[in-house]
């Protein structure tokens, strides 16, 4: 019974162990006893023979028991070490180890102590009960033998102790060899279990990193899609809110990517707080685009989305500046469907309509399926559109406000989409600017514009052509060489080519912009600052730094001259600035005769807009001007103040 308690084995198993050999030994002993009695009764001197016989029988029996015990020990050792190698859980491994050692050596107490960093522990089996103690809790009073547990490369990582029962104070040579063999197997198993645990932590860390946006700490697109799949499985009709920041690109280009990143982090913090209040799951998809998985019934999703946007919008302090954050969002609900990508596309389409309508939130409904194109679809079709020549140019005449003579045309890109028809730039231009197709698109537009100008020249029209380019192009050191090569290939006059730079040129990279603009002007190309008056106050610093030839006043200021004193002041200041710096000034969006008269009277020499002509194909420009007349009657009674310095009229 004591052996059963020490090893944890059933007492019946202990009782029947070696039962056959023990019974055979008892039978032989009984036979010898009977023979001894019979021999004594016949001849007393025959008793001297039996001690040797009894000793021989005892030795044979003991030898067989030892052989069987050794075979059983090595079999048990083999099974135990084999079992160790099947376990990767350290707790189960140590539990099995102490039980196996107790069974192998008949020990009443066994300990395994580990010292590895993060795994310091002591597992003890005492009288069949396994427990875990603090590493510094040791028992005394009993003799024990020990064997070190080794790491793969860094020396001992622990120790295995076997406390001997009864009067035993050491193990036999064979038992010591078995203990060393078990300790070696246990060492490998412990090292493997620790390595497995470390790899599991690393794998989980990598999996978490793969689902997390490194800038904001929010889940990324992978994390969002996984959450959407889970939400669809566990509930009826989760919603999705997609949102992005209005004017973020302008902030990024003007104030720099560092400020833009800080702004995104601030928005992410607001989004996480707002989402937590409504039980939503926030994520960042990339750039300034965020998402929230909305819980609850579909009829609550618009109100929840509006609440989230309300908490996001407002001033955020970044780098000592107060930036007014405004976001637009689109909401879609997954009621009755499991197509996750369709849900994302519907929310994206709704967000696009919110931005176009300048409202905070638009909710996608099935009747809208035939509405405006989805931005994600358009982004994926840009490359194919370029290859198919689907992007075309329309040209709007630039007019001398006094004489009515056409002096040039601005090239305006349109997308002849095979499904959605002719798309204005508002639907897709920002997608091109954020894509890898920007350089190819810019060269494509320049080639078409230069080809149109050559057509006009061959028709006897001496017109300049003005082309918008993305501020990102200015950061490309090879851009000026590309433009010069295109002009030479088309045999165009660089002095009749104007490149319009947005007022939001990236001030953070102004030295690179300076070099590009200087190289363009050195090649004879004229440079204009577009959208003057529509952006941040940095336009004046851009004008003072960049070597430009022309200022183009934004149409919004021209349209409000009659009703807004501030707009009139901005227009007048732009014209005055151009005159003082010797720059040509072009007013965009001229729609009425009165606007033409006021602009001309203020000293603005050139304008374009619906008053004169709408954008048209290049061939239509030839037809319009073939009779030698202008597009408007002259204003002889208006006197335009002279420019200061060299005249730079087109």
């Amino acid at each position: 019974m004591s052996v059963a308690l020490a090893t944890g084995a059933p007492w019946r198993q202990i009782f029947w162990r070696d039962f056959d050999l023990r019974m055979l030994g008892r039978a032989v002993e009984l036979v010898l006893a009977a023979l001894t009695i019979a021999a004594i009764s016949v001849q007393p001197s025959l008793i001297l023979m039996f001690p040797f016989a009894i000793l021989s029988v005892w030795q044979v029996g003991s030898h067989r028991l030892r052989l069987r015990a050794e075979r059983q020990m090595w079999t048990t050792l083999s099974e135990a070490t084999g079992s160790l190698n099947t376990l990767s859980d350290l707790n189960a491994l140590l539990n099995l180890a102490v039980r196996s050692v107790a069974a192998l050596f008949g020990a009443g107490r066994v300990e395994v102590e580990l010292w590895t960093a993060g795994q310091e522990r002591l597992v003890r089996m005492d009288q069949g009960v396994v427990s875990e103690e603090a590493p510094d809790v040791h028992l005394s009073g009993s003799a024990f033998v020990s064997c070190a547990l080794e790491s793969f490369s860094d020396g001992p990582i622990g120790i295995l102790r076997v406390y001997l029962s009864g009067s035993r104070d050491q193990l036999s040579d064979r038992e010591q060899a078995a203990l060393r063999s078990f300790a070696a197997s246990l060492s490998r198993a412990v090292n493997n279990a620790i390595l497995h645990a470390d790899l599991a932590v690393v794998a989980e860390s990598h999996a978490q990193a793969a689902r997390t946006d490194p800038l904001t700490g929010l889940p990324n697109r992978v994390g969002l899609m996984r959450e959407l799949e889970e939400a669809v499985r566990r509930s009826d009709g989760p919603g999705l809110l997609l949102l992005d920041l209005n004017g973020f690109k302008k902030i990024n280009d003007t104030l720099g990517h560092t400020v833009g990143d800080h702004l995104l982090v601030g928005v992410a913090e607001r989004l996480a707080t707002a989402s937590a209040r409504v039980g939503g799951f926030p994520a960042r998809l990339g750039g300034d685009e965020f998402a929230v998985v909305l819980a609850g019934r579909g009829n609550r999703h618009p109100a929840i989305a509006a609440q989230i946007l309300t908490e996001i919008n407002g001033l955020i302090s970044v780098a000592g500046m107060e930036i007014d954050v405004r976001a637009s969002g689109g909401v879609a609900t997954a009621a009755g469907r499991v197509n996750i990508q369709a849900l994302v596309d519907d929310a994206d389409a709704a967000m696009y309509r919110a931005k176009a309508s300048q409202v905070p939130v638009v909710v996608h409904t099935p009747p809208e399926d035939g509405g405006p194109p989805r931005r994600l679809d358009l982004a994926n079709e840009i490359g194919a559109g370029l290859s198919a020549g689907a992007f075309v140019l329309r040209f709007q005449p630039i007019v001398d406000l006094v004489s009515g003579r056409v002096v040039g045309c601005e090239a305006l890109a349109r997308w002849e989409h095979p499904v959605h028809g002719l798309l204005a730039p508002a639907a897709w231009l920002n997608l091109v600017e954020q894509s890898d197709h920007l350089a190819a698109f810019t060269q494509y537009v320049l080639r078409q514009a230069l080809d149109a100008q050559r057509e006009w020249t061959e028709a006897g029209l001496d017109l300049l052509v003005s082309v918008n380019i993305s501020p990102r192009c200015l950061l490309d050191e090879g851009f000026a060489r590309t433009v010069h090569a295109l002009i030479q290939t088309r045999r165009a006059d660089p002095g009749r080519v104007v490149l319009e730079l947005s007022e939001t040129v990236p001030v953070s990279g102004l030295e690179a912009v300076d070099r590009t603009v200087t190289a363009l002007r050195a090649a004879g190309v004229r440079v204009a600052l577009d959208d003057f008056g529509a952006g941040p106050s940095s336009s004046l610093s851009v004008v003072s730094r960049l070597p430009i030839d022309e200022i183009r006043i934004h149409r919004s200021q021209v349209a409000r001259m009659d009703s807004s004193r501030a707009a009139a002041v901005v227009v007048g200041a732009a014209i005055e600035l151009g005159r003082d710096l010797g720059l040509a000034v072009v007013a965009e969006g001229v729609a009425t005769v009165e606007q033409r008269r006021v602009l001309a009277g203020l000293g603005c020499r050139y304008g374009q807009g619906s008053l004169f002509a709408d954008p048209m194909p290049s061939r239509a420009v030839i037809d319009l001007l073939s009779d030698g007349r202008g597009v408007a009657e002259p204003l002889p009674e208006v006197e335009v103040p002279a420019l200061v310095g060299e005249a730079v009229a087109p």
Side-chain angles (χ1 to χ4, degrees), residues 482-506:
T482 299
V483 173
H484 184 58
L486 286 172
I487 290 174
Q488 286 187 320
T489 302
R490 260 61 183 179
R491 299 189 303 277
D493 178 4
R496 313 304 285 169
V497 177
V498 180
L499 298 184
E500 300 177 20
L501 314 179
S502 170
E503 188 188 43
T504 59
V505 293

Side-chain angles (χ1 to χ4, degrees), residues 316-386:
I316 288 184
S317 181
V318 178
M321 297 176 289
E322 295 292 327
I323 298 178
D324 191 13
V325 172
R326 287 291 178 267
S328 298
V331 177
T333 300
R337 60 180 171 183
V338 293
N339 189 330
I340 302 300
Q341 190 56 53
L343 178 66
V344 175
D345 290 347
D346 289 343
D348 187 77
M351 181 181 71
Y352 168 77
R353 287 189 283 278
K355 293 180 74 70
S357 304
Q358 297 184 344
V359 296
V361 181
V362 166
V363 180
H364 175 84
T365 55
E368 294 176 333
D369 288 341
R374 295 186 176 99
R375 293 173 69 241
L376 288 178
D377 292 339
L378 292 180
N380 293 330
E381 295 170 1
I382 291 171
L386 284 171

Side-chain angles (χ1 to χ4, degrees), residues 82-275:
S83 298
L84 293 178
N85 293 326
T86 65
L87 297 177
S88 58
D89 179 73
L90 191 58
N91 292 326
L93 174 65
L94 297 180
N95 190 297
L96 175 63
V98 293
R99 290 188 179 278
S100 298
V101 171
L104 277 169
F105 303 106
R109 187 191 311 153
V110 179
E111 292 178 351
V112 175
E113 183 175 351
L114 294 184
W115 310 322
T116 56
Q119 299 288 354
E120 295 86 354
R121 59 201 308 178
L122 186 148
V123 176
R124 173 183 296 131
M125 178 176 174
D126 194 359
Q127 301 303 320
V129 179
V130 178
S131 61
E132 184 163 349
E133 309 289 346
D136 56 350
V137 176
H138 299 288
L139 300 179
S140 59
S142 299
F144 66 85
V145 292
S146 63
C147 199
L149 303 179
E150 302 287 341
S151 70
F152 287 141
S153 58
D154 298 330
I157 58 171
I159 191 169
L160 169 63
R161 300 188 188 91
V162 182
Y163 289 82
L164 303 177
S165 57
S167 60
R168 299 179 68 194
D169 58 1
Q170 62 182 359
L171 299 176
S172 67
D173 291 342
R174 288 187 178 88
E175 288 176 326
Q176 290 180 17
L179 180 62
R180 289 193 296 271
S181 177
F182 184 89
S185 295
L186 180 58
S187 296
R188 287 192 296 272
V190 168
N191 280 284
N192 289 335
I194 294 174
L195 181 61
H196 184 274
D198 291 343
L199 290 176
V201 171
V202 172
E204 177 57 29
S205 175
H206 288 173
Q208 182 66 23
R211 300 191 298 266
T212 304
D213 173 55
L215 176 63
T216 64
L218 292 178
N220 59 12
R221 185 179 293 274
V222 174
L224 172 73
M225 300 302 282
R226 182 170 299 182
E227 176 64 21
L228 274 176
E229 292 171 357
E230 290 294 327
V232 168
R233 277 197 292 266
R234 68 174 177 256
S235 66
D236 181 20
L240 176 64
L241 165 66
L242 288 186
L243 60 97
D244 72 2
L245 309 182
N246 301 331
F248 177 75
K249 185 176 184 300
K250 182 179 292 186
I251 294 171
N252 225 18
D253 289 343
T254 304
L255 302 178
H257 291 281
T258 300
V259 172
D261 287 348
H262 286 312
L263 180 62
L264 291 174
V265 171
V267 170
E269 291 173 352
R270 287 186 178 181
L271 182 64
T273 302
S275 300

Side-chain angles (χ1 to χ4, degrees), residues 452-614:
Q453 187 190 45
R454 187 173 58 199
E455 277 189 80
W456 302 335
T457 302
E458 292 172 353
L461 301 177
D462 186 15
L463 303 177
L464 61 79
V465 65
S466 186
V467 181
N468 284 280
I469 63 169
S470 169
R472 279 181 55 195
C473 295
L474 302 179
L475 300 177
D476 180 2
E477 294 184 355
F479 179 69
R481 292 193 299 272
T482 299
V483 173
H484 184 58
L486 286 172
I487 290 174
Q488 286 187 320
T489 302
R490 260 61 183 179
R491 299 189 303 277
D493 178 4
R496 313 304 285 169
V497 177
V498 180
L499 298 184
E500 300 177 20
L501 314 179
S502 170
E503 188 188 43
T504 59
V505 293
V507 175
S508 60
L510 201 52
E511 291 184 2
V513 173
D514 269 339
R515 290 193 295 270
T516 300
V517 173
T518 300
L520 287 170
R521 297 187 77 239
V525 177
R526 297 163 55 82
V527 178
L529 182 63
D530 196 17
D531 297 336
F532 191 93
S537 58
S538 62
S539 17
L540 292 178
S541 64
V542 174
V543 169
S544 66
R545 285 285 307 274
L546 286 180
I548 62 174
D549 303 283
E550 179 182 308
I551 294 175
R552 297 177 65 84
I553 304 173
H554 193 265
R555 64 182 62 251
S556 63
Q557 302 296 342
V558 174
R560 295 188 301 120
M561 283 193 308
D562 297 337
S563 58
S564 169
R565 175 174 174 77
V569 170
V570 169
V571 171
I575 296 170
E576 186 75 19
L577 178 66
R579 184 166 59 247
D580 291 345
L581 296 178
L583 308 177
V585 179
V586 179
E588 299 175 335
V590 180
T592 66
V593 174
E594 184 60 28
Q595 289 173 351
R596 176 189 178 189
R597 289 181 179 276
V598 171
L599 288 166
L602 289 173
C604 180
R605 186 64 181 271
Y606 307 101
Q608 67 184 82
S610 59
L611 175 64
F612 308 113
D614 292 324

